[in-house]
Amino acid sequence: MASSRWWDTNLCGGISELVETTAAHRKSYLQQAAAKDFTRIKSQRFLFNAGKDNKGQPVFILHNKNFYERSNPNFWNNMFLYILKELASQSEPFTVVYVHDSRVQLPSFHWFRRLFLFSDPEARSRLQSMYILNSSPGSNA
């Protein structure tokens, strides 16, 4: 009998396959991130600490309006590595707010899924909340 659970289907890649490959890929991605110089990406301020929430925990803003180098073929991969590195360096619980400007192409669901799966398990456990805000056309988010 075929499984009807979405995580066991080829659409998701299958949980057993993910468990086997995630640890190896995570280590590889974190090594790549550690070796890269993100000075230019950091200066674009698409991911920044916006302060603390009412519990005193850091709030990070990820704003796609500041994605300046989208035409660079390695842009999404470099951004992926930068975010992995930044979130892995957090030692306390935090919140991420993704602000989507509708005039800029949204990263694919696969990209967000990959970011979550390959992030450090300890960083994932410290992620308290993630909010996705989508501005309407014509607004100044």
Side-chain angles (χ1 to χ4, degrees):
M1 182 172 140
S3 173
S4 61
R5 298 178 303 194
W6 65 269
W7 57 84
D8 286 338
T9 65
N10 285 335
L11 177 67
C12 182
I15 281 295
S16 59
E17 178 185 327
L18 288 175
V19 169
E20 293 170 10
T21 61
T22 300
H25 281 101
R26 179 182 305 114
K27 184 176 179 181
S28 171
Y29 286 134
L30 290 173
Q31 287 172 343
Q32 288 176 48
K36 266 193 169 304
D37 177 21
F38 292 111
T39 306
R40 186 172 177 165
I41 290 176
K42 194 171 187 172
S43 70
Q44 294 178 13
R45 290 186 44 89
F46 66 84
L47 176 68
F48 58 92
N49 188 330
K52 306 256 182 193
D53 64 10
N54 58 354
K55 297 176 188 172
Q57 299 171 344
V59 176
F60 291 91
I61 302 292
L62 176 60
H63 197 311
N64 77 342
K65 188 175 184 179
N66 297 339
F67 295 173
Y68 299 122
E69 296 184 19
R70 289 182 305 275
S71 60
N72 178 342
N74 293 321
F75 171 75
W76 291 111
N77 191 53
N78 289 339
M79 189 173 70
F80 171 79
L81 293 173
Y82 175 69
I83 293 170
L84 280 182
K85 182 178 180 178
E86 288 298 305
L87 297 183
S89 70
Q90 295 308 306
S91 60
E92 59 185 319
F94 61 93
T95 296
V96 174
V97 178
Y98 173 74
V99 181
H100 178 70
D101 183 335
S102 60
R103 296 170 288 199
V104 179
Q105 179 182 354
L106 180 69
S108 69
F109 174 76
H110 174 74
W111 186 87
F112 280 111
R113 180 175 164 260
R114 191 177 106 185
L115 183 62
F116 182 77
L117 287 173
F118 296 120
S119 62
D120 180 48
E122 291 179 17
R124 241 188 343 234
S125 70
R126 289 187 296 271
L127 175 63
Q128 298 298 298
S129 302
M130 181 170 181
Y131 300 97
I132 299 176
L133 304 175
N134 188 10
S135 64
S136 59
S139 69
N140 292 324

